[in-house]
Amino acid sequence: MRVFLVTGAGVSAESGLGTFRDKDGTGIWTRFDPMKLATPEAFARNPQEVHAFYNARRRNLIKAKPNAAHFALARLETALAERAGNLTLVTQNIDDLHERAGSERVIHMHGELLKAHCTACEVVNPWRTDLGLRERCAACGRTGTLRPHVVWFGEMPFQIGEIYAALNEADLFVAIGTSSSVYPAAGFVYEARALGIRTCEINLEPSDNAEQFDERRYGLASEAVPTWVDELLTSM
């Protein structure tokens, strides 16, 4: 079986990382203006403010730990490989909790917070400390050119061609912990349905396009995801 799986902030919420668009109005973008913190224009206008926002998130991420949902998906990847199948794990999250739980093949379509991108030489390097205008690029030696290696509003997600190629080959499409309100990820379920691929949503509450899913499961990711993984592997 070939499983295509996309995760959103909900899969990491129980690890202490905030979600962005909760229906109860507590998401990150209800407290912060994304147009002032998550666009190329915002960074050009006030890089110090943008760096401060992502520095705080980076410190929080370093203290966070994977939860049972992350470990269950790593187990699924291994089990599918042992049965001549595969898991394509695409995450909208910029954290590294999937990798820390043991997932080996993760596509970060929105980038990775623990990396820095030099706008002068385009080199991407690991980065675990605060980032600012005084830090120097290890590749070209320039200062003031480093930015978080994340995809901001108005920018193209990473590896989008590879993502759609994998979706076209999938037998099952699963969305976990995502509000399904940000494109192109929100459109994956429509692509899957058009291809005749079975679809499943696992979420705390119904997403914006929940009616597009053949199967829907709701509850905490740390409970719902391991249960689903166990049932899927048993059915195989």
Side-chain angles (χ1 to χ4, degrees):
M1 174 179 282
R2 295 163 295 188
V3 179
F4 182 103
L5 197 151
V6 60
T7 62
V11 80
S12 296
E14 292 172 79
S15 295
L17 304 183
T19 56
F20 290 89
R21 294 174 179 81
D22 292 347
K23 291 184 179 180
D24 62 3
T26 61
I28 289 173
W29 294 144
T30 63
R31 293 179 285 120
F32 300 96
D33 184 350
M35 295 301 105
K36 293 181 179 179
L37 296 168
T39 68
E41 294 79 13
F43 187 65
R45 183 171 56 250
N46 194 340
Q48 292 93 337
E49 183 179 23
V50 174
H51 276 311
F53 174 72
Y54 284 97
N55 286 341
R57 295 188 63 198
R58 190 180 298 106
R59 292 185 218 114
N60 190 33
L61 169 56
I62 289 172
K63 293 186 294 183
K65 296 181 179 180
N67 63 57
H70 297 106
F71 287 109
L73 295 179
R75 179 162 54 88
L76 176 62
E77 179 183 69
T78 299
L80 287 172
E82 291 173 347
R83 303 177 192 203
N86 67 68
L87 172 66
T88 298
L89 175 52
V90 177
T91 185
Q92 300 173 82
N93 300 338
I94 59 176
D95 64 60
D96 66 338
L97 298 185
H98 284 303
E99 287 90 344
R100 281 197 247 167
S103 293
E104 295 184 359
R105 296 175 60 249
V106 183
I107 298 176
H108 284 270
M109 65 180 297
H110 291 164
E112 300 175 70
L113 184 56
L114 298 184
K115 292 183 178 180
H117 169 209
C118 178
T119 57
C121 69
E122 303 299 332
V123 168
V124 176
N125 283 309
W127 200 278
R128 297 180 62 85
T129 58
D130 282 1
L131 190 58
L133 297 179
R134 295 183 179 181
E135 277 62 48
R136 186 179 304 276
C137 173
C140 70
R142 299 188 187 184
T143 59
T145 60
L146 296 176
R147 57 164 278 184
H149 184 55
V150 300
V151 175
W152 286 325
F153 291 99
E155 295 181 325
M156 180 66 68
F158 299 140
Q159 296 176 261
I160 199 67
E162 181 180 346
I163 290 170
Y164 279 113
L167 180 57
N168 272 271
E169 298 296 324
D171 301 305
L172 173 65
F173 168 79
V174 188
I176 298 178
T178 175
S179 64
S180 294
S181 59
V182 176
Y183 284 81
F188 290 164
V189 65
Y190 299 100
E191 297 282 344
R193 288 180 65 87
L195 292 165
I197 300 169
R198 182 168 176 78
T199 58
C200 173
E201 170 173 86
I202 305 173
N203 216 344
L204 185 61
E205 57 192 2
S207 66
D208 289 350
N209 55 14
E211 73 284 351
Q212 297 297 320
F213 291 88
D214 300 309
E215 179 183 1
R216 286 165 271 183
R217 297 173 177 236
Y218 300 112
L220 294 172
S222 63
E223 299 172 358
V225 174
T227 298
W228 169 76
V229 168
D230 289 341
E231 293 179 7
L232 178 64
L233 294 177
T234 298
S235 70
M236 295 171 59

mmCIF file of all heavy atoms in Angstrom, residues 1 70-89 101-105 229 233 236:
data_model
loop_
_atom_site.group_PDB
_atom_site.id
_atom_site.type_symbol
_atom_site.label_atom_id
_atom_site.label_comp_id
_atom_site.label_asym_id
_atom_site.label_seq_id
_atom_site.Cartn_x
_atom_site.Cartn_y
_atom_site.Cartn_z
ATOM 1 N N MET A 1 0.843 -1.201 0.000
ATOM 2 C CA MET A 1 0.000 0.000 0.000
ATOM 3 C C MET A 1 0.875 1.247 0.000
ATOM 4 O O MET A 1 1.874 1.327 0.714
ATOM 5 C CB MET A 1 -0.921 0.017 1.228
ATOM 6 C CG MET A 1 -1.726 1.307 1.371
ATOM 7 S SD MET A 1 -2.834 1.333 2.788
ATOM 8 C CE MET A 1 -4.166 0.326 2.155
ATOM 9 N N HIS A 70 3.391 11.375 16.532
ATOM 10 C CA HIS A 70 4.634 11.359 15.755
ATOM 11 C C HIS A 70 5.245 9.954 15.746
ATOM 12 O O HIS A 70 5.671 9.457 14.701
ATOM 13 C CB HIS A 70 5.653 12.348 16.336
ATOM 14 C CG HIS A 70 5.228 13.776 16.295
ATOM 15 N ND1 HIS A 70 4.833 14.455 17.419
ATOM 16 C CD2 HIS A 70 5.140 14.660 15.273
ATOM 17 C CE1 HIS A 70 4.522 15.695 17.104
ATOM 18 N NE2 HIS A 70 4.701 15.854 15.800
ATOM 19 N N PHE A 71 5.281 9.316 16.904
ATOM 20 C CA PHE A 71 5.873 7.983 16.987
ATOM 21 C C PHE A 71 5.061 6.959 16.195
ATOM 22 O O PHE A 71 5.621 6.058 15.568
ATOM 23 C CB PHE A 71 6.005 7.557 18.450
ATOM 24 C CG PHE A 71 7.094 8.270 19.199
ATOM 25 C CD1 PHE A 71 6.791 9.209 20.174
ATOM 26 C CD2 PHE A 71 8.426 8.014 18.929
ATOM 27 C CE1 PHE A 71 7.796 9.878 20.861
ATOM 28 C CE2 PHE A 71 9.450 8.673 19.603
ATOM 29 C CZ PHE A 71 9.125 9.604 20.572
ATOM 30 N N ALA A 72 3.738 7.103 16.208
ATOM 31 C CA ALA A 72 2.894 6.176 15.451
ATOM 32 C C ALA A 72 3.150 6.295 13.950
ATOM 33 O O ALA A 72 3.177 5.280 13.239
ATOM 34 C CB ALA A 72 1.419 6.450 15.764
ATOM 35 N N LEU A 73 3.353 7.502 13.464
ATOM 36 C CA LEU A 73 3.606 7.681 12.028
ATOM 37 C C LEU A 73 4.978 7.149 11.637
ATOM 38 O O LEU A 73 5.159 6.635 10.528
ATOM 39 C CB LEU A 73 3.449 9.151 11.654
ATOM 40 C CG LEU A 73 2.032 9.705 11.817
ATOM 41 C CD1 LEU A 73 1.972 11.174 11.455
ATOM 42 C CD2 LEU A 73 1.029 8.905 10.991
ATOM 43 N N ALA A 74 5.955 7.270 12.526
ATOM 44 C CA ALA A 74 7.267 6.672 12.260
ATOM 45 C C ALA A 74 7.147 5.157 12.194
ATOM 46 O O ALA A 74 7.758 4.498 11.336
ATOM 47 C CB ALA A 74 8.258 7.077 13.345
ATOM 48 N N ARG A 75 6.334 4.591 13.075
ATOM 49 C CA ARG A 75 6.098 3.147 13.064
ATOM 50 C C ARG A 75 5.393 2.718 11.778
ATOM 51 O O ARG A 75 5.711 1.665 11.206
ATOM 52 C CB ARG A 75 5.260 2.775 14.292
ATOM 53 C CG ARG A 75 4.908 1.313 14.410
ATOM 54 C CD ARG A 75 4.476 0.992 15.841
ATOM 55 N NE ARG A 75 3.398 1.840 16.319
ATOM 56 C CZ ARG A 75 2.103 1.564 16.142
ATOM 57 N NH1 ARG A 75 1.744 0.476 15.453
ATOM 58 N NH2 ARG A 75 1.185 2.370 16.616
ATOM 59 N N LEU A 76 4.467 3.540 11.314
ATOM 60 C CA LEU A 76 3.771 3.238 10.066
ATOM 61 C C LEU A 76 4.729 3.225 8.886
ATOM 62 O O LEU A 76 4.650 2.344 8.013
ATOM 63 C CB LEU A 76 2.658 4.267 9.835
ATOM 64 C CG LEU A 76 1.885 4.138 8.520
ATOM 65 C CD1 LEU A 76 1.167 2.799 8.439
ATOM 66 C CD2 LEU A 76 0.898 5.295 8.370
ATOM 67 N N GLU A 77 5.646 4.178 8.849
ATOM 68 C CA GLU A 77 6.620 4.230 7.759
ATOM 69 C C GLU A 77 7.427 2.938 7.698
ATOM 70 O O GLU A 77 7.599 2.345 6.621
ATOM 71 C CB GLU A 77 7.561 5.418 7.960
ATOM 72 C CG GLU A 77 8.636 5.539 6.888
ATOM 73 C CD GLU A 77 9.601 6.683 7.167
ATOM 74 O OE1 GLU A 77 10.386 6.572 8.135
ATOM 75 O OE2 GLU A 77 9.558 7.681 6.443
ATOM 76 N N THR A 78 7.895 2.473 8.841
ATOM 77 C CA THR A 78 8.685 1.240 8.892
ATOM 78 C C THR A 78 7.856 0.032 8.490
ATOM 79 O O THR A 78 8.310 -0.816 7.704
ATOM 80 C CB THR A 78 9.237 1.034 10.314
ATOM 81 O OG1 THR A 78 10.078 2.137 10.658
ATOM 82 C CG2 THR A 78 10.050 -0.243 10.408
ATOM 83 N N ALA A 79 6.627 -0.055 9.006
ATOM 84 C CA ALA A 79 5.780 -1.205 8.727
ATOM 85 C C ALA A 79 5.399 -1.287 7.254
ATOM 86 O O ALA A 79 5.363 -2.377 6.667
ATOM 87 C CB ALA A 79 4.525 -1.141 9.597
ATOM 88 N N LEU A 80 5.114 -0.157 6.648
ATOM 89 C CA LEU A 80 4.765 -0.163 5.226
ATOM 90 C C LEU A 80 5.953 -0.600 4.373
ATOM 91 O O LEU A 80 5.797 -1.365 3.420
ATOM 92 C CB LEU A 80 4.278 1.222 4.794
ATOM 93 C CG LEU A 80 2.887 1.628 5.272
ATOM 94 C CD1 LEU A 80 2.608 3.088 4.931
ATOM 95 C CD2 LEU A 80 1.808 0.737 4.651
ATOM 96 N N ALA A 81 7.140 -0.119 4.720
ATOM 97 C CA ALA A 81 8.333 -0.512 3.972
ATOM 98 C C ALA A 81 8.576 -2.005 4.075
ATOM 99 O O ALA A 81 8.995 -2.651 3.101
ATOM 100 C CB ALA A 81 9.542 0.268 4.483
ATOM 101 N N GLU A 82 8.305 -2.583 5.235
ATOM 102 C CA GLU A 82 8.494 -4.025 5.425
ATOM 103 C C GLU A 82 7.498 -4.844 4.620
ATOM 104 O O GLU A 82 7.733 -6.031 4.360
ATOM 105 C CB GLU A 82 8.362 -4.361 6.911
ATOM 106 C CG GLU A 82 9.510 -3.832 7.770
ATOM 107 C CD GLU A 82 9.269 -4.020 9.246
ATOM 108 O OE1 GLU A 82 8.107 -4.338 9.624
ATOM 109 O OE2 GLU A 82 10.217 -3.836 10.033
ATOM 110 N N ARG A 83 6.382 -4.214 4.209
ATOM 111 C CA ARG A 83 5.338 -4.910 3.464
ATOM 112 C C ARG A 83 5.311 -4.472 2.002
ATOM 113 O O ARG A 83 4.277 -4.542 1.343
ATOM 114 C CB ARG A 83 3.991 -4.659 4.133
ATOM 115 C CG ARG A 83 3.971 -5.075 5.606
ATOM 116 C CD ARG A 83 2.671 -4.762 6.288
ATOM 117 N NE ARG A 83 2.799 -4.924 7.736
ATOM 118 C CZ ARG A 83 1.775 -5.159 8.554
ATOM 119 N NH1 ARG A 83 0.544 -5.249 8.066
ATOM 120 N NH2 ARG A 83 1.970 -5.301 9.847
ATOM 121 N N ALA A 84 6.454 -3.978 1.519
ATOM 122 C CA ALA A 84 6.610 -3.571 0.121
ATOM 123 C C ALA A 84 5.744 -2.374 -0.243
ATOM 124 O O ALA A 84 5.434 -2.151 -1.417
ATOM 125 C CB ALA A 84 6.321 -4.738 -0.820
ATOM 126 N N GLY A 85 5.360 -1.578 0.761
ATOM 127 C CA GLY A 85 4.626 -0.356 0.506
ATOM 128 C C GLY A 85 5.495 0.842 0.808
ATOM 129 O O GLY A 85 6.708 0.730 0.948
ATOM 130 N N ASN A 86 4.887 2.011 0.926
ATOM 131 C CA ASN A 86 5.650 3.199 1.300
ATOM 132 C C ASN A 86 4.744 4.282 1.852
ATOM 133 O O ASN A 86 3.529 4.283 1.599
ATOM 134 C CB ASN A 86 6.482 3.731 0.129
ATOM 135 C CG ASN A 86 5.617 4.283 -0.991
ATOM 136 O OD1 ASN A 86 4.961 5.310 -0.834
ATOM 137 N ND2 ASN A 86 5.600 3.591 -2.121
ATOM 138 N N LEU A 87 5.348 5.153 2.627
ATOM 139 C CA LEU A 87 4.651 6.306 3.192
ATOM 140 C C LEU A 87 5.316 7.564 2.681
ATOM 141 O O LEU A 87 6.524 7.747 2.848
ATOM 142 C CB LEU A 87 4.698 6.277 4.718
ATOM 143 C CG LEU A 87 4.163 7.531 5.437
ATOM 144 C CD1 LEU A 87 2.665 7.670 5.199
ATOM 145 C CD2 LEU A 87 4.484 7.484 6.928
ATOM 146 N N THR A 88 4.531 8.438 2.052
ATOM 147 C CA THR A 88 4.998 9.783 1.727
ATOM 148 C C THR A 88 4.435 10.703 2.788
ATOM 149 O O THR A 88 3.227 10.914 2.873
ATOM 150 C CB THR A 88 4.512 10.223 0.335
ATOM 151 O OG1 THR A 88 5.056 9.355 -0.657
ATOM 152 C CG2 THR A 88 4.959 11.655 0.047
ATOM 153 N N LEU A 89 5.308 11.208 3.659
ATOM 154 C CA LEU A 89 4.899 12.076 4.753
ATOM 155 C C LEU A 89 5.250 13.515 4.403
ATOM 156 O O LEU A 89 6.419 13.907 4.403
ATOM 157 C CB LEU A 89 5.583 11.649 6.053
ATOM 158 C CG LEU A 89 5.358 12.528 7.296
ATOM 159 C CD1 LEU A 89 3.869 12.762 7.534
ATOM 160 C CD2 LEU A 89 5.992 11.883 8.517
ATOM 161 N N ALA A 101 10.993 11.634 16.147
ATOM 162 C CA ALA A 101 10.248 10.426 16.496
ATOM 163 C C ALA A 101 10.706 9.218 15.694
ATOM 164 O O ALA A 101 10.307 8.094 16.000
ATOM 165 C CB ALA A 101 8.754 10.656 16.281
ATOM 166 N N GLY A 102 11.507 9.453 14.644
ATOM 167 C CA GLY A 102 12.031 8.337 13.874
ATOM 168 C C GLY A 102 11.636 8.289 12.416
ATOM 169 O O GLY A 102 12.101 7.416 11.680
ATOM 170 N N SER A 103 10.791 9.211 11.953
ATOM 171 C CA SER A 103 10.447 9.248 10.528
ATOM 172 C C SER A 103 11.682 9.639 9.728
ATOM 173 O O SER A 103 12.388 10.589 10.082
ATOM 174 C CB SER A 103 9.317 10.251 10.263
ATOM 175 O OG SER A 103 8.103 9.814 10.843
ATOM 176 N N GLU A 104 11.941 8.907 8.661
ATOM 177 C CA GLU A 104 13.164 9.135 7.886
ATOM 178 C C GLU A 104 12.925 9.905 6.592
ATOM 179 O O GLU A 104 13.822 10.567 6.093
ATOM 180 C CB GLU A 104 13.827 7.789 7.572
ATOM 181 C CG GLU A 104 14.309 7.060 8.822
ATOM 182 C CD GLU A 104 15.045 5.779 8.505
ATOM 183 O OE1 GLU A 104 15.167 5.444 7.298
ATOM 184 O OE2 GLU A 104 15.500 5.109 9.446
ATOM 185 N N ARG A 105 11.721 9.803 6.048
ATOM 186 C CA ARG A 105 11.442 10.471 4.777
ATOM 187 C C ARG A 105 10.325 11.486 5.002
ATOM 188 O O ARG A 105 9.147 11.138 4.967
ATOM 189 C CB ARG A 105 11.047 9.453 3.708
ATOM 190 C CG ARG A 105 12.148 8.462 3.361
ATOM 191 C CD ARG A 105 11.674 7.400 2.377
ATOM 192 N NE ARG A 105 11.212 8.001 1.123
ATOM 193 C CZ ARG A 105 9.941 8.005 0.732
ATOM 194 N NH1 ARG A 105 8.990 7.466 1.500
ATOM 195 N NH2 ARG A 105 9.606 8.562 -0.422
ATOM 196 N N VAL A 229 -3.385 3.954 13.011
ATOM 197 C CA VAL A 229 -2.224 3.196 12.498
ATOM 198 C C VAL A 229 -2.387 1.720 12.825
ATOM 199 O O VAL A 229 -2.177 0.844 11.955
ATOM 200 C CB VAL A 229 -0.916 3.751 13.072
ATOM 201 C CG1 VAL A 229 0.251 2.801 12.782
ATOM 202 C CG2 VAL A 229 -0.611 5.122 12.488
ATOM 203 N N LEU A 233 -2.753 -1.210 9.884
ATOM 204 C CA LEU A 233 -1.796 -2.311 9.755
ATOM 205 C C LEU A 233 -2.467 -3.654 9.978
ATOM 206 O O LEU A 233 -2.134 -4.642 9.305
ATOM 207 C CB LEU A 233 -0.643 -2.108 10.739
ATOM 208 C CG LEU A 233 0.244 -0.889 10.460
ATOM 209 C CD1 LEU A 233 1.311 -0.748 11.538
ATOM 210 C CD2 LEU A 233 0.887 -0.985 9.075
ATOM 211 N N MET A 236 -4.228 -4.808 6.877
ATOM 212 C CA MET A 236 -3.353 -5.235 5.798
ATOM 213 C C MET A 236 -2.856 -6.664 6.009
ATOM 214 O O MET A 236 -2.248 -7.253 5.139
ATOM 215 C CB MET A 236 -2.154 -4.281 5.697
ATOM 216 C CG MET A 236 -2.534 -2.863 5.311
ATOM 217 S SD MET A 236 -1.136 -1.722 5.450
ATOM 218 C CE MET A 236 0.033 -2.467 4.338
#
